[in-house]
Amino acid sequence: MIIERLREYADAETPTGDATALNAFADRLAERYAGLGATVRRVPMPTGDHLVADFPGRGPQADAAPLLFLGHHDTVWPIGQLADAMPWREEDGIIHGPGVFDMKGGLVVLETALEQVADQDHRPVRIVVVADEEVGSPSARDLVTAESKGVYAAFGLEPPHPNGDLKTSRWGSTRVRIEITGREAHAALDPASGISAIDELVDQLIAIRQIITQYDEVLCNVGTITGGGRTNVVPGSAAADIGFRFVDPSTEKAVLAAVETLHAVRAAQLQVRVMSNRPAWQPSAATDELLTKVIAAGQSVGQQVGGAAASGAADTNLTGWLGIPTLDGLGPVGKGAHAVHEQVIAATLAERVALVAAIITAL
């Protein structure tokens, strides 16, 4: 049943920003969570609705602080990816398809675990599923912050490390857009009256590279560049989206301050905008203590659980940064996030269900 559910979810393609597709998928989740006993609240957003589902506790801890599970239903894949390049297939115990690893597998794991513990004693459980995680959750940050208040611990349903270890900290992640406005002119007849936005953008990207060379642990990826239109026209506009990764808040603050105070080299207009930000989630004693409890929960179902730092970012960055005991990586084991070979090991779906169920009932 769990594999069939995952196929159903993979078949429903949900690219970030496609509100129609995302809201249709949110309908499925809302119905599923309500059927499992949750009170479901929808948070409308222009780019796709977020969901909050609250499951009541049972037994002695019915009124205790809830466990928070964070997930997302958007993927990096466009509509048509399933048919054109990444058809669902299950071969030799491996499941292939868009979103099976990042992170519809994690969504299926959680709901199946909740089904299994429905008649057992446990704390209340809160689920927040956001619609724009793949672009940094710009519309969901306030929601995650609000729903994190008063929780006992937070867990992410993102993919684990390749060996199945959970994630105990994450680098910070910030998306920055550099926009240049120059002045168009004929590139041959009157080039001197033009101001090349593309030339200015190139110079600014070089300046950014020089900034990050001053720090040991900063990642910088220029993800998109746009600008210009014709080779006989001096380009009047250009832009680049840049992804930064930071190991600690102080480095993040210093680098972003330097980037935000860049000055134009020529008489162009330059604007720097932060599109999304996830602060660094650093190792903590609270998370170490939580991992110890999860290790014990894993042992109760015959599993060895480990934990390690991660460089990728997710919504758990925020809960970890807020000081909430946090672990991520409860999705199934696999590989190929954001790649055409995206896949999960089928047997680990049931293993992760058992682990999540044990966590819910043990904490």
Side-chain angles (χ1 to χ4, degrees):
M1 179 62 182
I2 188 170
I3 292 178
E4 289 78 3
R5 177 78 60 173
L6 180 56
R7 179 164 191 174
E8 174 192 337
Y9 284 5
D11 283 346
E13 295 176 288
T14 52
T16 308
D18 188 330
T20 299
L22 287 161
N23 291 345
F25 194 88
D27 290 340
R28 295 171 186 251
L29 290 179
E31 181 179 1
R32 178 69 169 152
Y33 294 155
L36 290 171
T39 299
V40 182
R41 177 162 53 92
R42 203 156 173 146
V43 183
M45 287 291 167
T47 54
D49 295 352
H50 311 311
L51 289 179
V52 180
D54 280 300
F55 291 80
R58 286 175 54 94
Q61 295 201 88
D63 297 322
L67 300 179
L68 174 65
F69 287 88
L70 297 173
H72 64 89
H73 58 302
D74 63 320
T75 74
V76 299
W77 303 113
I79 299 293
Q81 188 75 13
L82 184 72
D84 295 340
M86 296 174 66
W88 169 279
R89 69 184 194 279
E90 185 179 356
E91 298 174 349
D92 301 323
I94 306 297
I95 296 171
H96 303 257
V100 296
F101 186 52
D102 186 15
M103 59 159 292
K104 289 174 177 174
L107 294 176
V108 171
V109 163
L110 177 60
E111 66 180 57
T112 307
L114 286 165
E115 187 175 22
Q116 290 189 3
V117 305
D119 59 352
Q120 300 180 46
D121 293 346
H122 60 79
R123 292 173 176 271
V125 172
R126 178 174 300 153
I127 305 173
V128 177
V129 181
V130 309
D132 57 359
E133 190 278 338
E134 294 294 2
V135 292
S137 303
S139 74
R141 177 167 177 153
D142 289 345
L143 175 67
V144 173
T145 299
E147 298 301 330
S148 298
K149 292 179 180 177
V151 302
Y152 178 79
F155 296 93
L157 301 168
E158 295 284 353
H161 288 290
N163 65 352
D165 279 356
L166 303 183
K167 298 175 178 180
T168 57
S169 64
R170 287 183 176 278
W171 285 37
S173 175
T174 299
R175 289 189 309 127
V176 171
R177 179 168 295 167
I178 309 292
E179 295 175 308
I180 307 294
T181 301
R183 184 168 60 240
E184 293 183 347
H186 195 291
L189 300 180
D190 193 20
S193 68
I195 301 172
S196 173
I198 290 179
D199 286 351
E200 181 67 35
L201 179 60
V202 169
D203 287 339
Q204 295 300 330
L205 294 178
I206 292 172
I208 289 171
R209 290 292 178 187
Q210 292 173 340
I211 290 170
I212 65 172
T213 57
Q214 302 173 44
Y215 302 90
D216 293 332
E217 294 185 288
V218 177
L219 301 179
C220 174
N221 180 60
V222 180
T224 64
I225 291 179
T226 59
R230 297 176 182 274
T231 57
N232 62 352
V233 178
V234 175
S237 62
D241 283 359
I242 307 168
F244 292 97
R245 305 282 176 152
F246 305 100
V247 71
D248 62 74
S250 60
T251 301
E252 174 185 27
K253 182 178 180 180
V255 171
L256 292 181
V259 172
E260 290 173 351
T261 55
L262 289 170
H263 297 289
V265 175
R266 48 190 61 74
Q269 297 178 15
L270 182 154
Q271 183 179 25
V272 179
R273 289 196 290 156
V274 174
M275 307 301 291
S276 65
N277 168 263
R278 287 179 171 138
W281 158 30
Q282 296 187 286
S284 70
T287 288
D288 290 344
E289 183 178 350
L290 179 62
L291 179 62
T292 298
K293 295 176 181 178
V294 169
I295 289 172
Q299 290 172 342
S300 73
V301 291
Q303 297 185 33
Q304 293 185 333
V305 178
S311 57
D315 288 329
T316 44
N317 277 65
L318 187 56
T319 56
W321 175 71
L322 289 169
I324 297 167
T326 300
L327 291 170
D328 206 342
L330 286 171
V333 179
K335 63 181 179 180
H338 303 182
V340 293
H341 63 279
E342 183 173 3
Q343 60 189 257
V344 296
I345 300 171
T348 65
L349 287 163
E351 292 172 1
R352 283 318 216 207
V353 168
L355 176 60
V356 172
I359 290 170
I360 294 172
T361 56
L363 294 185

